[in-house]
Amino acid sequence: MRTVRILTTAVLAGAGLLGLAGGAQADSATPSPSASGSAEAAGPTEAGTSFRTATAVKPDQPATADASTGDYLYWVLPVDVAQRATVNAKVTLPPAASRHGAATWRLDVYDGLRRHQACRYGAQSRTAAADAGAVELSCTLRTVRSWAEPWANDPLPGSYYVRLTVVDLPQEDLGQPVHAEVEASVADQGGAQAVDGALAAPLVPGAGSATAKADGAGSSPRPAAAAEPDGGWSSGRWNDRWLWTAAGGALAALAGIAGYRATRGSGRPARIPPGA
């Protein structure tokens, strides 16, 4: 009976720790209420034309822009450790009667060091037929790491720049009006994606960031920076891997105690039958 009680206690303790891990992850994924109201929820209605003028957006915040065919459109958003970002874009094209052929549009994403980040999957580039009314693009990035080797091109926490533009079309169609819609979402991949080590600061252009220190003390304007994620930057200091590790250690210790009690016996000498 004692062994059964110990095993029951071990299971309940492990379930409690794992529930705490799930609760912590759910709390971190739950967005906090926005203080800026419906105006912020509506999102920006214009885009920048370079890295330095990129329009800041938050994850799950739609952004729109009216532009001319051939313009480079830029937005910037924050992506933190253990998050996987997906960017979706839709371009509403000019009337088919005013176009002279097919057009190829492309969606690119760059990190805070302006390194081009490859898409794991998604239609990063698409060609719209001459009679198409719109073209939709998508790019899902690799999971952001807290640290990487200097020679690696791993995605790191910080600002991520989204660029949308047309890359191939008839010359006569340049300058025609288009309407762009962009929305980025981030999914928390949890501590399973965590690695040892962490950056001293996220790759966010501005005071105190790695890119700002590299720029020096010059007076030239810095690239636009995205706002911090809800709750601030984690920088890899804490993740649910710690809770899973603690839960595993507690279960192993309790299992060891239970096994010891089950195998050591009662500790009393066996009774010798009379007349033996």
Side-chain angles (χ1 to χ4, degrees):
M1 291 297 295
R2 179 178 298 178
T3 301
V4 172
R5 287 198 302 270
I6 293 174
L7 291 175
T8 303
T9 302
V11 172
L12 291 176
L17 286 172
L18 296 180
L20 178 61
Q25 184 173 358
D27 290 343
S28 63
T30 302
S32 59
S34 174
S36 56
S38 59
E40 180 178 337
T45 57
E46 60 181 12
T49 56
S50 69
F51 286 102
R52 296 185 179 277
T53 60
T55 299
V57 295
K58 292 184 177 182
D60 300 319
Q61 183 184 46
T64 60
D66 291 314
S68 298
T69 305
D71 288 345
Y72 284 86
L73 306 179
Y74 286 82
W75 295 268
V76 57
L77 73 148
V79 186
D80 206 356
V81 173
Q83 290 182 341
R84 180 182 297 168
T86 298
V87 182
N88 295 299
K90 178 181 178 181
V91 182
T92 303
L93 303 171
S98 65
R99 306 207 309 268
H100 298 81
T104 302
W105 288 79
R106 184 175 176 87
L107 180 70
D108 293 292
V109 182
Y110 301 82
D111 66 9
L113 296 177
R114 303 191 194 179
R115 301 177 304 177
H116 185 266
Q117 293 295 320
C119 301
R120 291 192 65 208
Y121 48 84
Q124 185 179 7
S125 178
R126 270 186 172 171
T127 299
D131 58 349
V135 59
E136 296 185 6
L137 307 168
S138 177
C139 175
T140 297
L141 301 175
R142 295 172 293 167
T143 302
V144 171
R145 295 162 54 93
S146 60
W147 178 84
E149 296 288 349
W151 46 262
N153 193 37
D154 293 323
L156 296 171
S159 297
Y160 278 75
Y161 295 88
V162 178
R163 185 178 74 182
L164 177 65
T165 191
V166 65
V167 294
D168 185 31
L169 82 167
Q171 190 73 17
E172 298 86 353
D173 290 345
L174 284 172
Q176 293 195 20
V178 293
H179 179 74
E181 304 173 29
V182 170
E183 185 171 355
S185 60
V186 294
D188 193 347
Q189 301 303 302
Q193 299 294 327
V195 297
D196 294 331
L199 292 182
L203 302 178
V204 178
S209 70
T211 51
K213 293 176 182 178
D215 289 342
S219 58
S220 60
R222 294 188 176 96
E228 289 187 357
D230 293 336
W233 297 101
S234 69
S235 299
R237 290 188 300 269
W238 175 261
N239 57 68
D240 59 4
R241 186 175 65 169
W242 292 90
L243 295 176
W244 284 94
T245 302
L251 288 174
L254 292 172
I257 295 173
Y260 171 75
R261 288 183 175 273
T263 57
R264 72 169 185 170
S266 63
R268 290 177 293 181
R271 175 178 291 183
I272 300 176

